Amino acid sequence: MSLASGGAVALLGGLALTAALILMLAGPVGLAPWLAALLVGVVLATVGYTMLRWGLSDLKRTDPTPRRTVESIKEDIQWAKEHRQ
């Protein structure tokens, strides 16, 4: 429960920081609000896309086969065949 709550609070913090960045670009920097939001959105989308691509390439290199479990089951089957009454 606390893990999910912590994730939700962290997400809200990230959203607040994103809004603050947009307001900073729109205020003192002088960009139009829509342009500030567009720039921040493009940067975040690009970073997110890059992170997803890295994650997918890591996932493709991972072997999901539980090798120790498969070997253990094979040993259990062999043991059961040898000790059948």
Side-chain angles (χ1 to χ4, degrees):
M1 179 69 168
S2 63
L3 183 62
S5 299
V9 170
L11 175 64
L12 291 174
L15 293 173
L17 290 173
T18 301
L21 179 60
I22 292 170
L23 291 174
M24 182 191 73
L25 290 173
V29 175
L31 291 178
W34 67 267
L35 183 58
L38 179 66
L39 289 174
V40 171
V42 167
V43 169
L44 289 176
T46 302
V47 170
Y49 177 77
T50 303
M51 291 172 70
L52 282 172
R53 296 294 297 174
W54 285 343
L56 285 173
S57 69
D58 287 346
L59 191 59
K60 288 179 182 177
R61 287 189 302 245
T62 302
D63 181 17
T65 305
R67 303 230 180 260
R68 289 191 311 183
T69 303
V70 169
E71 289 302 318
S72 177
I73 290 172
K74 286 179 182 178
E75 291 171 3
D76 290 347
I77 291 171
Q78 185 62 35
W79 182 88
K81 286 179 181 178
E82 291 172 359
H83 291 87
R84 217 185 303 179
Q85 292 181 352

